[in-house]
Amino acid sequence: MTMSLPYKALVPANIAFLKYWGKRDVKTQWPANHSLSMSLAQSVTTTSARVLVGASEHQISFSGTLVERTSSFGRKAYAHLDYLAKELGTQAYLQVNTSNSFPTGCGIASSASGFGALTLAAVAAWQQADSLDTLEKMGFTRHRLAALARMGSGSSCRSFWGGYVSWKVDETTGEQELVHLFSDEHWDLADTIAIFSASEKKVSSSKAHLDAWSSPLFEPRLAGIGEKEEQMINALRDKDLSALGPLLEQEALEMHAVMMSAKPSTCYLSSESISFISWLRKLRQKTGLAAYFTIDAGPNIHVICEQQDQSKLHSEIKKCYPQLDFIVDHVGKGPQLVVEAH
Ligand code: DP6
């Protein structure tokens, strides 16, 4: 068996400010609502892919361990490679190595960076494209790559740009659109991720998405999403954290209220996450520190503040939570693609 050069994709996680929650159609990955996120700089999935000449199956390894097709990650990952191969009309099998710079499956958007990186590395290996520009010239624009990645995990489509990205659905035209709202240079927001659990969640977000429609809070949420989106975009444009922050918190709590009031009910928050949220609010009242939380599908809390306030936030966290692990991150530049020399 011979192998081609490895194509290495580095794709960031993104933290949703306006959450993608609920699907209108699973088969086409049609989200129930528009969403908006910030791409991160440090929380990244790195995936290398190369063509295995003469092989009869793909080989995916995660952090050095071979992933079985039948495992929960394996089912989704191999199915996504099968889907991509069909879309690209190739029968070549790939060897894929992937790893995350952060804990997996606990609300730090590993599926966004993971499926983004798997898509980018696989397409680059099949096309033998050494950069994003080369891919674009071959017709694989970021929009096309994002649409392919979305079929593996919805939120991954927002990870194909740096800065601030919106994923829109247009019911009248039947189209989905990714909009690069602002680059990372527009506003240097930081994300400090307080880790209350690094273990994989028991209910996957893909499963919990499907239950959203059973919550009595879901339809009212959808009715108000457009207005919230507009307010968030205005706050981002004006770099106004006093306007954005309360929207972030309300949006995260609203999504968790939908999850908790669905049938079956899913609660991703732990008592530690709740007490951290109330600590953060008290800290803000007491010191005026402009730091606001958001939460994805997990117990870990993302604290958003301006980069200049991040070290003050960290010293306050260390004073009150000396044992707490946290990830220090900020807005990033988006994906990278490189070819590794042997
Ligand atoms: C809470 O993208 O993980 O992070 O499309 O089923 O893979 P699938 O779901 P996924 O959902 C992410 C949900 C969220 C909010 C968000 O990122 O917008």
Side-chain angles (χ1 to χ4, degrees):
M1 209 155 47
T2 56
M3 292 189 277
S4 75
L5 286 175
Y7 292 79
K8 183 161 99 176
L10 294 96
V11 175
N14 65 72
I15 176 65
F17 288 177
L18 188 67
K19 311 289 182 184
Y20 148 49
W21 197 247
K23 304 186 191 202
R24 289 190 196 275
D25 183 44
V26 179
K27 221 167 147 218
T28 55
Q29 282 284 67
W30 196 275
N33 58 276
H34 298 184
S35 58
L36 191 166
S37 60
M38 172 171 95
S39 294
L40 297 176
Q42 306 295 335
S43 303
V44 168
T45 297
T46 302
T47 300
S48 297
R50 57 177 151 197
V51 172
L52 286 171
V53 180
S56 53
E57 169 60 305
H58 300 295
Q59 267 178 32
I60 303 179
S61 298
F62 179 70
S63 297
T65 305
L66 192 67
V67 176
E68 300 289 340
R69 238 184 208 271
T70 48
S71 68
S72 64
F73 170 61
R75 270 196 298 274
K76 280 189 88 174
Y78 285 95
H80 190 57
L81 278 185
D82 295 341
Y83 159 78
L84 292 173
K86 202 162 161 224
E87 285 296 304
L88 270 71
T90 174
Q91 281 167 6
Y93 290 100
L94 297 180
Q95 184 187 59
V96 173
N97 290 303
T98 187
S99 63
N100 291 334
S101 67
F102 56 91
T104 303
C106 57
I108 316 178
S110 55
S111 68
S113 54
F115 282 91
L118 181 60
T119 304
L120 180 54
V123 173
W126 279 318
Q127 298 300 310
Q128 300 195 17
D130 58 2
S131 70
L132 281 158
D133 284 346
T134 312
L135 274 177
E136 178 150 5
K137 283 184 197 123
M138 294 170 140
F140 290 93
T141 61
R142 284 182 199 234
H143 288 278
R144 186 162 170 208
L145 292 166
L148 290 168
R150 186 190 90 214
M151 300 306 284
S153 179
S155 53
S156 67
C157 65
R158 298 186 309 240
S159 283
F160 280 83
W161 290 264
Y164 304 89
V165 182
S166 148
W167 174 17
K168 291 182 180 294
V169 282
D170 188 331
E171 299 306 332
T172 44
T173 61
E175 297 288 328
Q176 297 193 25
E177 192 194 0
L178 272 301
V179 183
H180 190 202
L181 294 169
F182 305 102
S183 82
D184 61 306
E185 281 162 23
H186 170 70
W187 193 14
D188 202 358
L189 284 181
D191 182 4
T192 298
I193 312 167
I195 307 291
F196 293 103
S197 168
S199 38
E200 200 145 340
K201 54 198 170 203
K202 293 199 176 72
V203 182
S204 72
S205 37
S206 299
K207 157 79 180 71
H209 269 294
L210 307 181
D211 303 327
W213 296 96
S214 66
S215 161
L217 307 179
F218 193 52
E219 301 265 1
R221 162 176 169 71
L222 295 182
I225 280 275
E227 198 182 328
K228 208 190 283 175
E229 181 189 28
E230 200 181 319
Q231 290 169 350
M232 276 194 190
I233 294 177
N234 289 343
L236 280 170
R237 188 198 55 223
D238 300 343
K239 298 186 231 176
D240 182 353
L241 194 51
S242 66
L244 180 66
L247 292 168
L248 293 180
E249 296 196 346
Q250 196 231 335
E251 169 63 357
L253 294 175
E254 190 176 292
M255 178 184 73
H256 281 270
V258 167
M259 293 162 167
M260 285 190 242
S261 55
K263 289 188 196 126
S265 160
T266 301
C267 182
Y268 288 115
L269 300 175
S270 65
S271 51
E272 286 95 340
S273 356
I274 302 284
S275 95
F276 184 81
I277 287 171
S278 78
W279 170 81
L280 183 72
R281 285 182 158 174
K282 280 191 206 118
L283 177 75
R284 201 162 64 223
Q285 267 172 0
K286 211 171 73 193
T287 65
L289 184 73
Y292 298 85
F293 67 82
T294 181
I295 322 161
D296 268 356
N300 301 319
I301 309 291
H302 294 248
V303 184
I304 307 295
C305 66
E306 298 207 34
Q307 185 107 40
Q308 73 219 25
D309 291 331
Q310 202 177 22
S311 55
K312 166 106 173 77
L313 170 72
H314 294 170
S315 60
E316 294 290 348
I317 294 178
K318 281 181 196 149
K319 259 194 261 165
C320 293
Y321 292 88
Q323 309 294 335
L324 184 66
D325 281 335
F326 54 87
I327 296 174
V328 181
D329 215 332
H330 62 101
V331 62
K333 295 198 174 300
Q336 284 177 53
L337 175 65
V338 288
V339 184
E340 287 184 311
H342 277 303

